[in-house]
Amino acid sequence: MTHYVVGTTPETLVVVGGVLEVIVALACIGTAVVLYPVVKRQGETRALGFVTARVLEAACIFVSVGSLLTVVALRRAEAGADALVTGQALVAFYDSVFLLSQGFIPAVNALLLGSLLYRSRLVPRVLPVLGLVGAPLLVVSDAGILFGLWDRLSPVAAIAAIPIAVWEFSLGVYLIVKGFRPSPVTAGMVAADAR
C-alpha cells in the first residue's frame, strides 16, 4: 500500500475492501441493537456496555475506512510522489485504528456478551466460552503487535484471533438456525409479546 499512490495497480480491491468494512461496521451496530432487548434482562449495565462498545467499534471502522479511501483519492488526484509520505501516514493510521477497532474492542465485546450469554444459558455454554477464552488471547496478541513483538499479519496474531472468529461466526450461525434457548430470560419476552 505504501507505493499505491504512484502505482498502476487497480483501485478496485481497496474500494471493495472499504465497502466490505463498512458492511462489517453496520453489522456491529445491528447485532448489538438486536441482542440488547434479550441480554439486558441478564445484566442491563453489561448489555448497555456491549451496545456502546459495538457502536465504538463501528465508528472506528468508519474512520479507518475513511483513511484508506483518502489514499484512493490521492491516487485519483494524481498527487504523485509528493503524496507518498501522506499515503504512508494514512496507511499507518489505518493500521493503528485497526488494532483498536478490530482487535481490542472485539475482545471487550466478547467479554461482555460472552458473560451475559454464559450466565443466561440462552445458547450452549461452549459458545460463550469460546469468546471468554478468545478475548484474553486477542488482547495479548494486540499487546504484542503494539510493542513490536510481532506483526499484525504474523502467524501468532492469526492464531490468537481464531477463537474470537469462531465465537462470532458460530454464535451468529447458531442464533440464525436455532435461536435462543427457552429460559426465564426469554420467557418474559414471550409473555410480553402475547399481550
Side-chain angles (χ1 to χ4, degrees):
M1 192 66 146
T2 306
H3 296 287
Y4 173 80
V5 174
V6 293
T8 58
T9 57
E11 63 190 38
T12 307
L13 292 177
V14 177
V15 173
V16 168
V19 168
L20 292 174
E21 285 202 48
V22 166
I23 292 169
V24 167
L26 294 173
C28 286
I29 296 169
T31 55
V33 169
V34 167
L35 291 174
Y36 177 75
V38 176
V39 295
K40 79 174 182 178
R41 296 169 182 269
Q42 188 60 43
E44 191 165 359
T45 303
R46 278 180 290 158
L48 190 56
F50 172 66
V51 171
T52 304
R54 289 296 264 193
V55 170
L56 178 61
E57 179 181 357
C60 289
I61 292 171
F62 289 136
V63 168
S64 66
V65 168
S67 70
L68 288 184
L69 294 180
T70 303
V71 173
V72 172
L74 284 172
R75 183 175 182 188
R76 287 180 180 167
E78 298 178 0
D82 294 339
L84 278 178
V85 172
T86 304
Q88 289 172 335
L90 288 166
V91 171
F93 177 77
Y94 171 84
D95 288 342
S96 298
V97 175
F98 185 93
L99 188 64
L100 177 67
S101 67
Q102 297 185 49
F104 179 71
I105 297 175
V108 172
N109 293 335
L111 290 174
L112 292 168
L113 183 60
S115 64
L116 288 164
L117 293 177
Y118 186 84
R119 282 192 64 207
S120 66
R121 297 179 184 246
L122 290 169
V123 297
R125 282 195 155 180
V126 69
L127 294 178
V129 166
L130 279 170
L132 294 171
V133 167
L137 291 174
L138 196 56
V139 170
V140 168
S141 172
D142 289 345
I145 294 166
L146 185 64
F147 291 109
L149 299 176
W150 48 78
D151 187 64
R152 183 170 65 90
L153 301 175
S154 72
V156 173
I159 291 169
I162 289 173
I164 289 290
V166 171
W167 143 254
E168 289 186 351
F169 179 76
S170 60
L171 179 64
V173 169
Y174 182 86
L175 290 176
I176 288 168
V177 173
K178 297 243 181 186
F180 287 117
R181 288 178 164 175
S183 77
V185 174
T186 56
M189 296 180 75
V190 172
D193 289 342
R195 291 182 205 170

